[in-house]
Amino acid sequence: MDTMRFTRLSLKNWRNFKAVEDLPLCRRAFIVGPNAIGKSNLLDVFRFLRDLTLEGGGLSKAVESRGGMAAVRSLHARQKTDVMIRVDATNDAGMGWRYVLSFNRQDNKHPRPQVIEEKVWALNGGEPTNCLLDRPDKHDKQDPERLSQTALQQTTANQEFRGLAEFLRTVTYIHLVPQLLREEQAPLPTRLGTDPFGRDLLDRIRSTPPRFQKARLSRIQKVLKIVAPQLEELAFELDDVGRPHLAAKFKHWRGQGARQRETQFSDGTLRLIGLLWTMQEKAGPLLLEEPELSLHSGIVSKLAPFIHRAQMAADGRQVILSTHAEDLLSDPGISPEEVFLLQPAIEGSEIIAGAHHNQIQKLMSSGLLASEVVVPMTTMSQLDLFDRAQP
Amino acid sequence: MKKSVDFVWLEGELEAAVARKLLPELSLDISNAAFGVAKGNSRFWQEISRRNASAKAGLTVVALGDLEQEPCAGQLIARHLPRGCDNKFVLRLAVRMLESWLLADSEKMAAFLHIPLSKLPIDPDNLKHPKHELVRLAQQHGTKAIRQDLVPEQGHSGIVGKGYRPRIEEFIQSHWRPRVAAKRSPSLRRAILALEALSKR
């Protein structure tokens, strides 16, 4: 398999993470933690990198669309207030790139972000071989205005590592919100690039060549048949004014069945369709926000090996997901190396990689499940007060 | 007439698959039974006295789990149920793990893993860690597809691979023969006897 994926991540002052040191990421990653600990903020790093590379994106837009430097930078940043992101992205053979970006606001008068440091290395066997970019360089010194942009976003500047930019561009985030998908497809003000809440799912289906579109929908239909046997003949169609829809036949007592569109599908069905579709897209890492929502616990407990099967199919994409669900984490095939536990720290949140945590390693390699080991670690220390809180 | 089981309490999903296969073969009707899956050894034992209490209250309850590395099943059960099991509660443990019951149908297991029959253990109940053994067999002799599912990824410290549960579940559902396996696994043989006795009670 030659699919590129993120293999390492380090952060400084990113949102509520003051420091993340060299997190090893594998093909599947499960980010686990209590509410409001920063699971979405962690996934957002990868979306941020994608936003840098999008048309109409770039550093200023990516920062601005997140509410400016004040929102992007950790509240706990002190003297060294630069935000730093470092990722390694390689294929299975360890060929790929390392990308490092540090940025900060220009100065107090000019709040827009500026590049403090930007570096790209070529990686071979996972190790850096040669440096392809090292900024600020002499051109930046001559014209500091250049530092308002990353080299990643400029096709003229990223010639030697365009593959990296292309990889980052294929990062997909889904947090399908059925209510929004059901709304008419009027263009709503969205954040940069692809729509975070899955409203563009129907457009993505539309823009897929008919042959693949049909094959993918037919695979989805097969899964739906298992979990929602009353839905048949899932198909893509355009309405009178050319808007895209999904339609299926809903079997009922009349025998004929009724034709339904996505606006009438249940939340669970819609989320499952979104999940199944994106799993089949040939692309870079897929970020899934709580895929368990509105799904039956029986299905949730089968999601982890399902993702594995999808990945074993040709060019399976990396999946980084956040979850609260014990059921999802109860599969015995989840290894400690795939688990990332978010915990409150003295300043902000910290990430514990299962690979680096002796107790998680010890318990899970004795046969305990991730749900038995990690979920109890996420229980909030004061949860019993919730029982006494006045609603 | 088949004896009706009301509740089946299981350590994991694989035990559930075994129960679905095994119980109907022993004249136990599970069509109305509720299946509770503990999803882990700790919760399985935490709830065991409640399952026994349900039997005391009149339900027919079956529980399946693993002995794991405990020296003696009797002592382990006595620790959790000091007053013993109710007459309508059958609690059986695989020695040492469910996988020994599966390896015990050696012909089907060899065919399923695409490995030579001679590689299968003769006495799976005597294995210290049947799960390790199954994974080891898959790793040394299995096809690529089998290895991808059953064997942990290189550098990962989990016990089994990412596709282990569904792959083994498929084996139980479509291939495993409990009565054949019982010839090689004394703990399965005893479980079958106990369940048969329940069906006649």
Side-chain angles (χ1 to χ4, degrees):
Chain A
M1 263 175 299
D2 222 32
T3 319
M4 293 277 294
R5 60 188 170 93
F6 292 114
T7 50
R8 294 196 166 271
L9 171 72
S10 299
L11 298 172
K12 280 206 181 89
N13 298 330
W14 173 262
R15 302 202 154 212
N16 56 333
F17 300 99
K18 193 157 179 253
V20 172
E21 295 285 340
D22 217 14
L23 214 59
L25 295 166
C26 27
R27 201 177 295 284
R28 262 189 338 190
F30 301 87
I31 297 167
V32 191
N35 285 314
I37 195 77
K39 295 192 291 295
S40 306
N41 286 348
L42 185 59
L43 292 182
D44 194 40
V45 176
F46 305 108
R47 294 166 70 197
F48 180 83
L49 291 173
R50 180 201 60 191
D51 291 352
L52 292 180
T53 66
L54 292 177
E55 218 168 298
L59 182 62
S60 300
K61 285 275 175 59
V63 170
E64 195 184 304
S65 71
R66 284 165 174 78
M69 276 309 291
V72 168
R73 185 170 47 214
S74 169
L75 291 170
H76 306 286
R78 298 261 168 77
Q79 286 96 1
K80 285 285 283 177
T81 62
D82 300 348
V83 178
M84 190 282 294
I85 300 170
R86 190 178 84 192
V87 286
D88 285 7
T90 72
N91 61 12
D92 279 352
M95 302 285 284
W97 294 276
R98 171 170 296 168
Y99 181 69
V100 184
L101 176 67
S102 293
F103 60 97
N104 209 331
R105 67 167 76 187
Q106 212 171 341
D107 51 50
N108 283 342
K109 266 198 221 145
H110 304 91
R112 72 173 185 167
Q114 111 176 330
V115 174
I116 306 292
E117 183 187 57
E118 187 182 26
K119 288 184 177 173
V120 180
W121 278 274
L123 301 181
N124 192 347
E127 295 299 321
T129 48
N130 53 321
C131 186
L132 304 174
L133 177 82
D134 190 357
R135 295 180 70 198
D137 56 18
K138 59 175 192 237
H139 305 293
D140 296 321
K141 278 170 194 147
Q142 280 163 7
D143 178 12
E145 190 60 22
R146 288 166 54 95
L147 291 170
S148 65
Q149 293 193 340
T150 64
L152 210 55
Q153 69 198 80
Q154 304 162 38
T155 30
T156 47
N158 70 16
Q159 205 175 349
E160 282 191 276
F161 47 94
R162 197 160 294 155
L164 172 65
E166 277 161 14
F167 162 73
L168 294 173
R169 201 171 298 135
T170 61
V171 168
T172 313
Y173 171 82
I174 65 166
H175 183 194
L176 199 68
V177 177
Q179 290 84 338
L180 294 177
L181 188 69
R182 282 202 202 92
E183 281 170 17
E184 289 305 319
Q185 293 291 303
L188 292 152
T190 62
R191 287 168 62 152
L192 263 182
T194 43
D195 170 34
F197 298 117
R199 275 168 300 197
D200 71 337
L201 178 69
L202 293 172
D203 284 323
R204 296 219 305 275
I205 296 177
R206 166 157 65 181
S207 62
T208 306
R211 194 160 58 93
F212 296 119
Q213 185 194 80
K214 237 179 139 185
R216 284 184 198 166
L217 287 177
S218 130
R219 269 178 235 129
I220 294 174
Q221 171 67 63
K222 278 188 193 139
V223 178
L224 283 183
K225 206 176 166 153
I226 301 166
V227 299
Q230 64 279 28
L231 278 183
E232 288 179 338
E233 296 173 26
L234 181 70
F236 177 79
E237 60 188 35
L238 296 174
D239 65 15
D240 300 340
V241 289
R243 278 177 307 210
H245 293 283
L246 281 171
K249 195 165 94 179
F250 186 80
K251 267 198 302 194
H252 57 62
W253 57 273
R254 270 191 227 279
Q256 275 287 335
R259 211 68 196 146
Q260 282 193 341
R261 280 192 175 158
E262 77 283 349
T263 49
Q264 292 153 295
F265 291 177
S266 75
D267 283 7
T269 305
L270 276 174
R271 291 187 61 100
L272 197 58
I273 290 174
L275 179 68
L276 293 167
W277 180 270
T278 33
M279 290 291 304
Q280 294 184 72
E281 283 175 327
K282 301 270 178 265
L286 174 60
L287 314 170
L288 294 177
E289 191 97 64
E290 300 179 9
E292 67 265 22
L293 292 180
S294 13
L295 293 181
H296 186 276
S297 63
I299 299 172
V300 174
S301 65
K302 293 179 191 303
L303 276 181
F306 183 83
I307 291 168
H308 161 68
R309 278 200 303 286
Q311 290 177 328
M312 284 301 112
D315 300 331
R317 57 200 309 200
Q318 181 175 31
V319 174
I320 303 174
L321 64 84
S322 72
T323 182
H324 284 295
E326 267 190 81
D327 286 311
L328 202 154
L329 296 166
S330 71
D331 187 79
I334 297 175
S335 70
E337 287 76 10
E338 297 179 294
V339 178
F340 300 88
L341 173 64
L342 267 57
Q343 279 190 331
I346 299 164
E347 296 184 307
S349 299
E350 62 177 4
I351 307 175
I352 296 168
H356 297 159
H357 192 275
N358 288 341
Q359 192 63 5
I360 292 177
Q361 286 270 342
K362 184 175 147 195
L363 294 175
M364 283 182 70
S365 50
S366 82
L368 289 180
L369 305 168
S371 54
E372 293 176 282
V373 176
V374 184
V375 175
M377 294 179 176
T378 68
T379 307
M380 291 140 270
S381 55
Q382 301 199 0
L383 197 59
D384 48 343
L385 293 180
F386 191 82
D387 272 339
R388 281 167 256 153
Q390 268 314 319
Chain B
M1 208 180 94
K2 279 191 168 184
K3 172 90 172 176
S4 202
V5 176
D6 299 303
F7 196 89
V8 190
W9 178 237
L10 305 140
E11 188 173 319
E13 298 283 357
L14 291 180
E15 280 80 5
V18 160
R20 287 203 165 87
K21 180 96 173 204
L22 182 62
L23 271 47
E25 286 197 17
L26 306 174
S27 298
L28 290 166
D29 177 13
I30 53 166
S31 53
N32 293 317
F35 274 63
V37 183
K39 294 187 177 159
N41 186 269
S42 43
R43 222 189 121 215
F44 178 75
W45 288 106
Q46 265 167 30
E47 302 268 317
I48 209 76
S49 65
R50 284 184 58 212
R51 306 301 163 215
N52 193 39
S54 300
K56 276 205 183 96
L59 301 184
T60 301
V61 183
V62 171
L64 289 184
D66 291 350
L67 179 62
E68 297 280 345
Q69 305 309 329
E70 292 285 335
C72 168
Q75 281 173 10
L76 173 65
I77 295 170
R79 229 171 34 234
H80 291 277
L81 297 168
R83 291 192 202 149
C85 286
D86 185 82
N87 190 31
K88 297 180 84 176
F89 182 47
V90 172
L91 164 61
R92 301 309 309 184
L93 304 176
V95 179
R96 302 205 158 261
M97 291 164 190
L98 190 80
E99 281 74 3
S100 62
W101 289 8
L102 309 180
L103 288 163
D105 187 352
S106 48
E107 276 172 37
K108 290 289 183 185
M109 183 57 89
F112 185 71
L113 296 178
H114 302 282
I115 65 177
L117 183 58
S118 61
K119 303 287 179 193
L120 269 286
I122 295 169
D123 185 6
D125 279 20
N126 257 339
L127 293 170
K128 190 158 186 310
H129 204 301
K131 212 176 248 138
H132 279 167
E133 179 63 9
L134 208 167
V135 170
R136 191 187 66 82
L137 287 170
Q139 183 163 27
Q140 290 193 346
H141 310 284
T143 58
K144 188 177 171 203
I146 289 281
R147 289 200 309 273
Q148 273 177 347
D149 277 353
L150 301 193
V151 181
E153 213 171 301
Q154 208 175 6
H156 286 216
S157 53
I159 294 181
V160 299
K162 294 174 183 173
Y164 184 86
R165 206 255 314 135
R167 182 68 84 150
I168 298 299
E169 218 166 71
E170 183 200 332
F171 171 75
I172 297 167
Q173 285 159 3
S174 319
H175 306 283
W176 185 60
R177 300 164 301 175
R179 290 205 187 262
V180 174
K183 288 177 192 156
R184 280 195 179 193
S185 164
S187 69
L188 175 57
R189 198 152 60 229
R190 290 194 297 271
I192 289 178
L193 287 174
L195 290 164
E196 277 176 341
L198 176 71
S199 71
K200 286 171 194 141
R201 229 168 268 162

